[in-house]
Amino acid sequence: MDKFIIHGGVPLQGHVNISGAKNAALPIIAASVLTEQPMKINNVPRLRDIYTISKILQHMGATCELDEATNCFHVHRNGMNRLEAPYELVKTMRASILFLGPMVARYHEARVSLPGGCAIGARPVNLHLDALRKMGVELDIVDGYIIARCEELRGAAISFDTVTVTGTENIMMAATLAKGKTVLKNAAKEPEVVDLARCLTSMGAHIEGAGTDTITIHGVEELRGTEYSVMPDRIEAGTFMAAAAITAGHVTLPIEVAQYLESVIIKLRDCDIRIECDDELIHIYGNGITCRDMATSPYPGFPTDMQAQYMALMCRGTGVSVIEETIFENRFMHVAELRRMGCDIEVQGSRAIVKGKPRLKGAPVMATDLRASASLVIAALAASGASEISRIYHLDRGYDHIEEKLSRLGAKIERVRE
C-alpha cells in the first residue's frame, strides 16, 4: 500500500493542466453499453475508477482499453454475454450503478450489485429504482444484487424527490432507448450531467433541457458509436486553486475550466484570495486568506466535493469560518485527521466551526475518502515539517497522478510503499 510523504512550506509556482473529469468520464463510458458500435472517448483520466469500470465492461464481454499516452478510451463490442456488474468489481466504486439504466434499455435485463465507494453517508439507489419502475421495469433485490427485467421500456414522467446526479444520469441514459417521451423533473444540473447529454446526443439521442431542472428525452430505436472528449475536472481544478492559495504561491490553470468553477471562484475571492482571468489562463495568487462561512449545495452552488479542500484552506485563514455540509451527513471524517496537523475545528452536527491558525504542523495522517484525502494533501503542503498520508488509494480513485503535477509546481512530495 502506498503513502505520500510531503515536506510542506514550499509556495507552489507554475502551470498545471487539468485532466478529464472522473464524474463525467464514468457515465460516458457506461453509455457505451447503449450501442453495438465502437466508442472513442478522449481526455479520460488515468484513475483507479476508470480501470475498475473497464474491468466491468470486459466482464460483460466488451473489449476496451485506456491508452495512457493519449488518454483515449476505446470500447469495441460484439454483443454482451454477461448482463451483470459483479460485487467483486463494484464494491469500490459507486458509479457502477450507472450500468443499470443502459443495460435495461439495451437488453431489457440487468444484474447489478449494490454499489460501494466512499463511506461519506447514505446515498440510496431507491430514486433510480423508483424511476425505472415507472418506466415498466420489474425490480428485485436478491443477495445484494439488483435484478431488473422488462418486456418494454416505456417513457414516463418522473419527479425526483431529491436532486440526484447519478439518478439523473442513469434514467436519462435509459430513456434514450425507451418508447415515447420521458420527462425528468427536479433533475440535477451539474456540468457532468450536461456533458453526458452532449455525448448521448452525438450518439443520436434526442435530449432537451440538460443543465436545467427539467430534462426531456424522446426515445429512439438505436444509438450509434461516437468520438467524444470529456470535459475538464472542475474538482481537480478547485483543489489546485486551494493548494496555490494555502501555500502563498502563484499557479495558473487553463481558462476553459473557469466556466465550471464560478461558485468556487466567487467564494475564494470572498476569502480575499486573488484570482484573475485572462483569455488563456486562470491566475491564483496566495496573498492571504480571510475565513468566510460556506454551505454546500447542488450545482450551481458550492460543490460538496470541494468542502474538505475549503476546510483545509480555512485552517490557515484569519478569523473563524462556519462550514455547513448539506449534501451528505457523514462528510466530516477528515476533521480528526486535520486536527492532528494542528487545525482548530469543532463539529456541531452538519456544521464545522474552523478557527484559522498561522501555522500547521506536519503529522502522520490517514485518508478516509477521496476528497478528505485531498484536504490532507492541501494542509500538508502548507504545514511545517513532514507529513505522511496513508491510504492514498482513495486519491488514486479521483486524481490523475496528483503527486506528479504537484512536483512540477515545486512541491516536495514523494509516493512511497508502506
Side-chain angles (χ1 to χ4, degrees):
M1 192 176 296
D2 292 352
K3 66 180 178 181
F4 282 156
I5 297 178
I6 299 175
H7 295 268
V10 179
L12 300 186
Q13 304 282 344
H15 180 76
V16 59
N17 286 316
I18 300 303
S19 300
K22 179 195 83 157
N23 290 338
L26 292 174
I28 287 171
I29 291 172
S32 67
V33 172
L34 293 165
T35 178
E36 289 295 325
Q37 297 179 10
M39 294 273 288
K40 181 180 180 182
I41 307 168
N42 300 313
N43 200 33
V44 174
R46 301 167 296 170
L47 304 174
R48 179 178 291 217
D49 279 7
I50 297 298
Y51 298 117
T52 298
I53 203 169
S54 178
K55 290 177 182 178
I56 294 172
L57 280 171
Q58 291 167 358
H59 175 84
M60 293 176 180
T63 300
C64 56
E65 65 173 337
L66 173 62
D67 185 336
E68 294 194 358
T70 63
N71 294 99
C72 180
F73 191 92
H74 297 269
V75 184
H76 301 277
R77 300 165 37 84
N78 295 307
M80 299 268 285
N81 52 33
R82 288 195 190 97
L83 298 176
E84 72 167 3
Y87 172 74
E88 57 268 22
L89 295 176
V90 164
K91 62 184 178 181
T92 62
M93 187 184 70
R94 180 169 181 78
S96 54
I97 191 67
L98 290 167
F99 281 112
L100 180 61
M103 279 199 285
V104 170
R106 186 85 177 94
Y107 299 100
H108 293 177
E109 63 177 289
R111 183 174 184 265
V112 178
S113 174
L114 291 169
C118 289
I120 58 174
R123 298 192 284 185
V125 300
N126 62 292
L127 299 176
H128 306 234
L129 305 186
D130 291 344
L132 287 173
R133 287 190 180 101
K134 291 180 180 179
M135 300 175 75
V137 180
E138 296 180 7
L139 292 151
D140 294 298
I141 297 179
V142 180
D143 297 331
Y145 279 82
I146 301 168
I147 310 297
R149 62 186 67 83
C150 67
E151 292 294 326
E152 179 182 68
L153 194 64
R154 303 184 299 272
I158 295 164
S159 180
F160 293 112
D161 291 339
T162 58
V163 176
T164 165
V165 174
T166 54
T168 299
E169 292 168 338
N170 219 348
I171 305 308
M172 183 168 64
M173 286 190 284
T176 60
L177 294 179
K179 185 176 182 179
K181 181 174 73 173
T182 299
V183 179
L184 305 181
K185 295 282 190 178
N186 199 27
K189 304 175 187 177
E190 271 71 2
E192 294 80 8
V193 174
V194 177
D195 210 35
L196 173 61
R198 288 175 179 153
C199 178
L200 292 170
T201 299
S202 74
M203 297 169 69
H206 293 171
I207 302 173
E208 303 166 357
T212 74
D213 60 6
T214 302
I215 301 176
T216 302
I217 308 102
H218 298 271
V220 298
E221 289 291 326
E222 62 180 11
L223 296 179
R224 59 181 176 268
T226 192
E227 180 175 353
Y228 189 80
S229 291
V230 174
M231 63 174 278
D233 194 318
R234 60 193 174 105
I235 304 303
E236 182 190 46
T239 300
F240 278 99
M241 293 174 75
I246 201 171
T247 62
H250 173 206
V251 172
T252 61
L253 309 175
I255 192 62
E256 289 79 14
V257 77
Q259 61 184 306
Y260 309 116
L261 279 172
E262 184 175 0
S263 65
V264 173
I265 291 173
I266 289 172
K267 178 50 66 176
L268 294 187
R269 283 175 171 164
D270 184 45
C271 296
D272 296 324
I273 295 166
R274 182 181 164 198
I275 301 175
E276 298 177 357
C277 298
D278 57 34
D279 291 341
E280 296 182 354
L281 298 171
I282 307 171
H283 295 260
I284 304 94
Y285 299 90
N287 59 317
I289 304 162
T290 301
C291 291
R292 303 291 188 195
D293 296 347
M294 183 275 289
T296 62
S297 61
Y299 190 86
F302 195 93
T304 181
D305 280 354
M306 276 295 299
Q307 177 258 109
Q309 299 92 309
Y310 183 83
M311 184 181 292
L313 197 57
M314 293 301 96
C315 291
R316 278 292 307 276
T318 300
V320 179
S321 172
V322 178
I323 298 174
E324 185 174 4
E325 176 56 61
T326 70
I327 309 297
F328 296 118
E329 77 280 5
N330 192 27
R331 207 164 198 180
F332 285 150
M333 292 189 292
H334 45 282
V335 168
E337 299 304 300
L338 286 172
R339 285 173 178 159
R340 290 173 57 82
M341 304 178 76
C343 298
D344 187 342
I345 308 169
E346 178 185 353
V347 175
Q348 297 178 352
S350 63
R351 303 195 314 166
I353 301 170
V354 183
K355 297 179 181 178
K357 301 182 71 172
R359 291 183 181 85
L360 303 180
K361 59 184 179 182
V365 292
M366 181 178 66
T368 54
D369 62 69
L370 172 54
R371 304 308 173 185
S373 307
S375 75
L376 300 180
V377 170
I378 290 170
L381 290 170
S384 61
S387 297
E388 294 185 5
I389 304 176
S390 59
R391 296 177 65 180
I392 61 171
Y393 58 82
H394 289 293
L395 274 167
D396 293 336
R397 289 187 52 235
Y399 290 91
D400 187 341
H401 293 67
I402 190 172
E403 74 277 15
E404 295 178 7
K405 294 184 178 183
L406 287 170
S407 292
R408 287 194 288 269
L409 297 175
K412 295 181 179 179
I413 179 172
E414 182 183 8
R415 179 187 290 261
V416 299
R417 182 76 63 177
E418 288 192 275

